[in-house]
Amino acid sequence: MKGKYLIYTTLVAAMCVANGCTKIEEGNYDVVLADDFYTNKNEVISAVLRPYTHANAWVTPSGQDNWWRASELSADQLAWPTKGRHGEDGGKWKRLHYHTWTVDEAGINQAWILLFGGLGYCNSPIEIISAADLSRMGITEEERQSYLAELKLFRAFHYLKAMDLWGGLPIATNTTDPLRPATSSRQEIFNFVEKEIKDNIAAAPKLSRAMVGRMSQAGAYAMLTELYLNAEAWTGTPRWDDCIAAADMVITGQGGAQNGTMALDPNITDQFKTTNDLSKEAIFSIAYNYTIAAFEPSWPGEFYHFKQREIYGGGRNGNDGIVLIPGVYTTFGDNDLRKSEWLLEGPQLNFVTGAPVTGSEEYNNQPLVFVDNIRKNRSGSTVSNMSEGEENSGVRFNKYKLGNQAAGLGGIPIDPNYNNTDWNVYRLTWIYFAKAEAIMRRNGGVADATALQLINDCHLRAFAPANQAAATYTAATLTMDELLAERGREFIFEGFRRQDLIRWNKFTTATWWDHNASATTRNLYPIPQQQRDLNPNLTQNPGYN
């Protein structure tokens, strides 16, 4: 498992832990975020790795207002409702759910700060590594170009995700000039990202065990796949053939593989367990290793109940926050293993003793039962909205597993890899779905044999052999609407739902649970007013004052 630990064994003291890498000031695309020189190879490598630890803050459910929250809590699967005396938080979760956010929304501004802070962590070492004499540190010219390519690709990843949220953006490729860059159009950002990827992909390392948690050629092809999949929504021009070609580069292993060869994992759990660095289908992940570096996943705070550690035998609880919107649970068939493996519903039992776990709020000292509704059941109310929850409201996240620190009932041993679970940003299943969607859109919404094979190869892993025949998609059953529904089931919690709804023209036109249709201008977030105050050259998106 040596490859996974490279990030942590190189100057661990220089790496931030989950919350320590986010104290970035506003307007940080014009701030130098590193020393102006390096004295040895370890310092260079540490600077190359620094953006990855920061990415934990903005690309994962990290407990912070970031790209992930803006992408998932505004869509039709997840919400953070008020539950009793918890979760009101100034109404910010409701504004995300209702699409009523404002130009001075603190959470949207924080997402901007985190993303542009990450850009700064890329720009600074790019500048220094480009100019410094690295040969005196034992770094070859080939290694220099490899570091630069990796950093430029990861910088392009930041821009891709920022473009997803805001559309047009300032392009800043160094730390000082221009001091207050103007807004470039979304088309210009798209072109910039595409060019950066194509210009640097060949010099970047191929994906391998040594590149776990880092941007590689495979990650770059995955970025191109995402870019082209969304090209019509983002620029008005479809790029379906380009999407298929980029996906094929990943699928055929042209960009390398994390563990031997690029392949789908045979089951639906390998990508989400404590040893998921051994997954064959992982392409790019935010890597964690609590055992070595005390760098742990941040998502328990988003999803876990106040007493969740009793349920899984670990040491971490959460804020009882994000849950499934009522009814999403029933979109999974009873034979679908994702329903039982990835979601928590019903009575919760102590991992060690098997006794009922009890609540701590409305259900204090009473059995804790997660329910597929959001309402005040204790008082017999049938009112269901973002304000009416209790501590047990909503089906819960169980997709990623932390492992267990205590031995479990029935002889379950302690997990030696507890708290080491990587968060997948791209996995091969997503690439299969992207290629299949591009084929169907190119074919007028019809699934051909290739598209069916791609989706069924992924889908049937979620069913026992006896149930696979009934679960197999055909050209008649794999419609575009069904593909969107299946994407929702397969990639729930993974950050793509808002993007998917926009491609299907449903993000602002559809209704769900406690959400009504919104203005089409809400397909983009506003440029934060705080940033426009700092940089008057930024142009506000249409529909916002």
Side-chain angles (χ1 to χ4, degrees):
M1 311 226 345
K2 180 179 178 182
K4 177 177 178 179
Y5 303 150
L6 177 61
I7 288 180
Y8 310 105
T9 56
T10 305
L11 290 182
V12 167
M15 303 297 179
C16 70
V17 294
N19 293 324
C21 63
T22 61
K23 298 183 183 299
I24 310 299
E25 297 300 322
E26 295 168 308
N28 39 33
Y29 43 74
D30 60 3
V31 174
V32 176
L33 296 173
D35 293 336
D36 59 0
F37 65 94
Y38 308 129
T39 62
N40 57 61
K41 187 172 185 176
N42 276 343
E43 289 184 0
V44 173
I45 296 174
S46 180
V48 172
L49 299 182
R50 182 62 181 86
Y52 297 106
T53 52
H54 178 77
N56 163 73
W58 68 265
V59 79
T60 79
S62 67
Q64 300 181 72
D65 293 317
N66 58 12
W67 170 86
W68 187 91
R69 283 182 175 176
S71 297
E72 287 288 8
L73 297 185
S74 59
D76 66 349
Q77 290 188 304
L78 306 178
W80 190 323
T82 301
K83 304 186 194 73
R85 63 193 179 102
H86 297 284
E88 182 62 22
D89 297 336
K92 66 180 184 179
W93 313 123
K94 295 175 185 177
R95 291 191 294 276
L96 275 175
H97 187 78
Y98 298 145
H99 294 188
T100 56
W101 50 75
T102 65
V103 296
D104 55 2
E105 200 75 45
I108 296 174
N109 184 54
Q110 180 63 15
W112 179 286
I113 291 169
L114 288 172
L115 271 160
F116 276 91
L119 282 167
Y121 283 126
C122 294
N123 280 338
S124 182
I126 287 172
E127 284 186 274
I128 299 168
I129 291 171
S130 295
D133 178 11
L134 301 187
S135 61
R136 60 187 175 85
M137 306 175 200
I139 296 174
T140 67
E141 182 59 25
E142 183 180 3
E143 288 175 314
R144 181 213 297 268
Q145 295 305 322
S146 179
Y147 293 150
L148 288 172
E150 178 184 350
L151 285 164
K152 289 178 180 179
L153 289 173
F154 199 39
R155 180 175 65 188
F157 176 72
H158 285 71
Y159 267 109
L160 188 153
K161 295 301 189 182
M163 173 175 58
D164 179 22
L165 296 185
W166 291 290
L169 300 160
I171 295 177
T173 58
N174 59 59
T175 57
T176 57
D177 183 31
L179 184 62
R180 293 181 175 84
T183 300
S184 296
S185 69
R186 200 178 212 181
Q187 180 70 66
E188 290 171 323
I189 300 296
F190 186 99
N191 294 343
F192 170 76
V193 171
E194 181 182 28
K195 187 175 188 303
E196 282 285 281
I197 296 172
K198 288 185 172 181
D199 286 352
N200 291 285
I201 196 167
K206 288 184 179 291
L207 179 59
S208 66
R209 289 295 296 159
M211 292 298 291
V212 172
R214 295 171 64 176
M215 184 56 68
S216 66
Q217 289 187 21
Y221 287 123
M223 277 196 288
L224 280 177
T225 304
E226 182 178 3
L227 189 73
Y228 295 139
L229 183 67
N230 292 284
E232 185 173 37
W234 290 349
T235 70
T237 303
R239 302 280 295 273
W240 308 126
D241 288 337
D242 289 330
C243 178
I244 293 166
D248 281 338
M249 295 298 284
V250 180
I251 293 168
T252 59
Q254 298 303 302
Q258 187 164 290
N259 290 288
T261 57
M262 186 65 69
L264 291 177
D265 290 326
N267 58 61
I268 61 166
T269 58
D270 285 350
Q271 306 104 64
F272 309 110
K273 59 189 182 182
T274 58
T275 55
N276 63 351
D277 59 303
L278 300 177
S279 165
K280 282 188 171 293
E281 72 168 77
I283 297 169
F284 174 55
S285 305
I286 304 301
Y288 301 96
N289 196 306
Y290 183 74
T291 306
I292 289 180
F295 187 56
E296 64 185 4
S298 300
W299 42 260
E302 302 279 80
F303 299 116
Y304 281 3
H305 185 269
F306 305 125
K307 298 178 70 175
Q308 190 93 8
R309 63 187 181 188
E310 296 182 26
I311 299 170
Y312 71 98
R316 303 179 65 188
N317 290 320
N319 295 317
D320 198 34
I322 298 170
V323 300
L324 268 64
I325 286 172
V328 172
Y329 182 65
T330 61
T331 66
F332 293 81
D334 290 340
N335 292 330
D336 191 331
L337 298 176
R338 296 171 297 190
K339 190 172 189 176
S340 56
E341 287 286 351
W342 293 356
L343 308 173
L344 279 182
E345 185 266 349
Q348 299 305 302
L349 304 179
N350 187 289
F351 184 81
V352 175
T353 68
V357 174
T358 58
S360 59
E361 297 291 323
E362 291 86 0
Y363 295 87
N364 187 39
N365 294 323
Q366 298 181 49
L368 181 64
V369 181
F370 295 144
V371 295
D372 186 22
N373 61 63
I374 297 172
R375 62 183 184 229
K376 297 187 183 300
N377 293 301
R378 287 276 290 162
S379 63
S381 174
T382 59
V383 176
S384 179
N385 59 43
M386 284 288 288
S387 301
E388 295 293 313
E390 299 175 320
E391 69 169 309
N392 68 336
S393 294
V395 176
R396 307 303 172 100
F397 168 96
N398 196 38
K399 194 171 192 176
Y400 283 83
K401 307 295 196 297
L402 275 188
N404 54 291
Q405 290 176 301
L409 195 67
I412 300 175
I414 293 172
D415 187 344
N417 296 292
Y418 171 75
N419 224 10
N420 292 340
T421 314
D422 298 343
W423 182 270
N424 297 312
V425 177
Y426 293 118
R427 59 188 178 100
L428 187 59
T429 299
W430 189 88
I431 299 295
Y432 272 43
F433 270 73
K435 180 180 176 180
E437 181 183 333
I439 290 171
M440 291 177 66
R441 290 190 182 276
R442 187 184 62 183
N443 294 347
V446 177
D448 65 10
T450 300
L452 287 170
Q453 187 71 53
L454 289 164
I455 300 301
N456 281 322
D457 283 350
C458 303
H459 177 68
L460 294 181
R461 296 177 301 174
F463 296 86
N467 299 318
Q468 288 183 351
T472 300
Y473 281 117
T474 66
T477 59
L478 188 60
T479 63
M480 289 301 296
D481 282 345
E482 177 57 24
L483 180 62
L484 176 62
E486 179 61 11
R487 283 190 66 90
R489 290 184 288 266
E490 180 64 34
F491 303 112
I492 191 167
F493 307 116
E494 295 189 40
F496 292 105
R497 191 58 177 174
R498 170 184 167 274
Q499 198 181 89
D500 291 348
L501 292 178
I502 289 173
R503 285 201 311 281
W504 263 263
N505 193 32
K506 293 180 181 291
F507 184 66
T508 59
T509 63
T511 61
W512 53 84
W513 182 49
D514 193 25
H515 171 89
N516 294 318
S518 59
T520 56
T521 52
R522 298 285 157 157
N523 281 325
L524 289 175
Y525 283 101
I527 305 300
Q529 186 59 46
Q530 296 93 322
Q531 299 304 321
R532 297 189 72 213
D533 291 342
L534 291 163
N535 179 4
N537 294 324
L538 296 178
T539 303
Q540 185 57 273
N541 283 323
Y544 297 100
N545 295 324

